[in-house]
């Protein structure tokens, strides 16, 4: 695998930062504009945030506005833009209908021909009480996934995660065991937790796995009063933040070089020194 990485070319990646609301058409228009701009500046692997096409005020709105997995306008948007721009897009996440009452929080990877290469159903659901009336029970409306997902890209194997997954290092180690050298982390991190934990967690996942982390976040105030942190960023395998969005909508870009993963994993082969491994 190391030799394979030595043969891979670098790619310019971009993380897109949005302030999505309850108007899907408006959200998609803004996302499309930022995808076009990032592609115009040379990005070929682009990551959108969690719930990029719709963030409602409450759980009932989320259920009511869930999308059909086969006819989803958000999925069609991703396929159209990937094909039009000739880029690969991690489609943040979309609330898709399930056979039951809950939705699936799904992240997709679409290639530069507009083909869906993978779908990842968010495993870890954000059930937390942060105090001050900030209570989140994602499991009330979202059906959890169970399967880690990796997919081969022209720039190496990508491990797919969504937001709260970031707090579970065992998932990232499993993705590495499956071949991942870079991770996508589309998110809607709360302002309360983001200001203290977001960058620390992203850098930790990069360092402990010597992998790139591409983290695209929601930013600002959304329907229902929810506030998200933003600071979308790209972290290199040494744990250095190589690109970061300021407050507001926009994008950040950086080169992703698979050779650096091989180099750092060779310098400190901690992945080969593990005593306790995934069962």
């Amino acid at each position: 695998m190391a030799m394979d990485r030595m043969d891979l070319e670098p790619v310019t990646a971009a993380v897109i930062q949005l302030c999505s609301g309850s108007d899907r058409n408006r959200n998609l228009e803004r996302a499309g504009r930022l995808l076009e701009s990032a592609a115009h500046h040379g990005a070929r692997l682009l990551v959108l945030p969690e719930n990029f096409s719709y963030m409602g005020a409450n759980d009932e709105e989320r259920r009511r506005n869930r999308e059909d997995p086969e006819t989803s306008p958000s999925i069609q948007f991703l396929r159209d833009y990937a094909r039009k721009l000739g880029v690969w897009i991690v489609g943040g996440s979309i609330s898709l209908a399930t056979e039951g009452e809950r939705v699936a929080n799904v992240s997709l990877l679409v290639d530069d021909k507009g083909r869906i290469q993978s779908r990842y159903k968010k495993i870890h659901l954000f059930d937390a009480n942060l105090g001050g009336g900030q209570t989140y029970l994602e499991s009330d409306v979202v059906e959890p996934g169970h399967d880690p997902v990796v997919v081969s890209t022209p720039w190496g194997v990508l491990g797919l995660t969504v937001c709260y997954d970031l707090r579970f290092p065992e998932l990232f180690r499993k993705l590495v065991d499956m071949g991942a050298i870079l991770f996508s982390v589309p998110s809607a991190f709360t302002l309360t937790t983001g200001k203290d934990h977001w960058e620390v967690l992203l850098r930790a996942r990069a360092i402990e796995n010597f992998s790139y982390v591409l983290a695209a976040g929601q930013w600002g105030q959304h329907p229902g009063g929810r506030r998200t942190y933003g600071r979308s960023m790209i972290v290199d395998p040494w744990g250095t933040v190589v690109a970061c969005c300021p407050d507001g909508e926009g994008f950040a870009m950086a080169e992703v070089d698979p050779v650096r993963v091989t180099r750092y994993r060779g310098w400190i082969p901690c992945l080969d020194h593990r005593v306790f491994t995934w069962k």
Side-chain angles (χ1 to χ4, degrees), residues 122-195:
K122 186 179 181 183
I123 293 174
H124 300 98
L125 304 183
F126 188 51
D127 290 355
N129 184 347
L130 304 180
Q134 294 185 79
T135 299
Y136 301 90
L137 292 172
E138 190 176 20
S139 62
D140 277 357
V141 67
V142 176
E143 180 181 281
H146 302 285
D147 300 318
V149 173
V150 299
V151 60
S152 293
T153 78
W155 313 287
V157 177
L158 171 68
L160 302 180
T161 75
V162 176
C163 200
Y164 191 48
D165 286 331
L166 181 60
R167 293 186 181 272
F168 299 87
E170 64 273 18
L171 172 60
F172 287 74
R173 277 289 165 87
K174 175 62 176 177
L175 296 172
V176 167
D177 287 344
M178 296 168 69
I181 65 169
L182 59 159
F183 306 119
S184 57
V185 191
S187 300
F189 242 66
T190 69
L191 178 63
T192 301
T193 58
K195 60 186 176 61

Side-chain angles (χ1 to χ4, degrees), residues 36-260:
E36 288 178 343
S37 183
H40 175 75
H41 284 83
R44 289 297 172 262
L45 175 60
L46 302 94
V47 183
L48 288 161
E50 184 179 23
N51 300 321
F52 75 95
S53 61
Y54 185 85
M55 284 191 70
N58 52 52
D59 289 348
E60 183 52 39
E61 281 193 15
R62 189 171 185 178
R63 285 192 186 94
R64 192 166 58 247
N65 287 277
R66 59 191 171 187
E67 301 182 36
D68 184 279
E70 302 304 322
T71 61
S72 161
S74 299
I75 294 178
Q76 190 58 51
F77 164 88
L78 294 172
R79 298 185 67 185
D80 289 345
Y81 268 83
R83 184 169 49 246
K84 178 176 73 170
L85 299 174
V87 300
W88 289 58
I89 302 175
V90 177
S93 77
I94 304 166
S95 292
L96 298 179
T98 67
E99 293 182 357
E101 288 300 311
R102 292 188 289 176
V103 305
N105 193 353
V106 177
S107 183
L108 299 95
L109 178 66
V110 181
D111 71 15
D112 55 357
K113 301 297 190 298
R115 300 170 299 200
I116 298 173
Q117 290 291 330
S118 64
R119 296 181 185 230
Y120 165 68
K121 188 176 178 182
K122 186 179 181 183
I123 293 174
H124 300 98
L125 304 183
F126 188 51
D127 290 355
N129 184 347
L130 304 180
Q134 294 185 79
T135 299
Y136 301 90
L137 292 172
E138 190 176 20
S139 62
D140 277 357
V141 67
V142 176
E143 180 181 281
H146 302 285
D147 300 318
V149 173
V150 299
V151 60
S152 293
T153 78
W155 313 287
V157 177
L158 171 68
L160 302 180
T161 75
V162 176
C163 200
Y164 191 48
D165 286 331
L166 181 60
R167 293 186 181 272
F168 299 87
E170 64 273 18
L171 172 60
F172 287 74
R173 277 289 165 87
K174 175 62 176 177
L175 296 172
V176 167
D177 287 344
M178 296 168 69
I181 65 169
L182 59 159
F183 306 119
S184 57
V185 191
S187 300
F189 242 66
T190 69
L191 178 63
T192 301
T193 58
K195 60 186 176 61
D196 294 324
H197 297 165
W198 173 246
E199 181 178 331
V200 175
L201 288 168
L202 293 171
R203 295 182 68 193
R205 298 296 85 84
I207 293 167
E208 65 199 9
N209 297 294
F210 290 119
S211 300
Y212 281 94
V213 178
L214 313 177
Q218 293 280 352
W219 168 87
Q221 186 153 328
H222 310 275
R226 180 173 180 176
R227 298 180 68 191
T228 52
Y229 180 63
R231 304 292 289 177
S232 302
M233 63 180 65
I234 298 174
V235 185
D236 78 5
W238 198 247
T240 303
V241 178
V242 291
C244 183
C245 287
D247 289 347
E249 294 190 324
F251 61 89
M253 296 172 48
E255 182 183 78
V256 169
D257 186 355
V259 172
R260 298 183 71 188

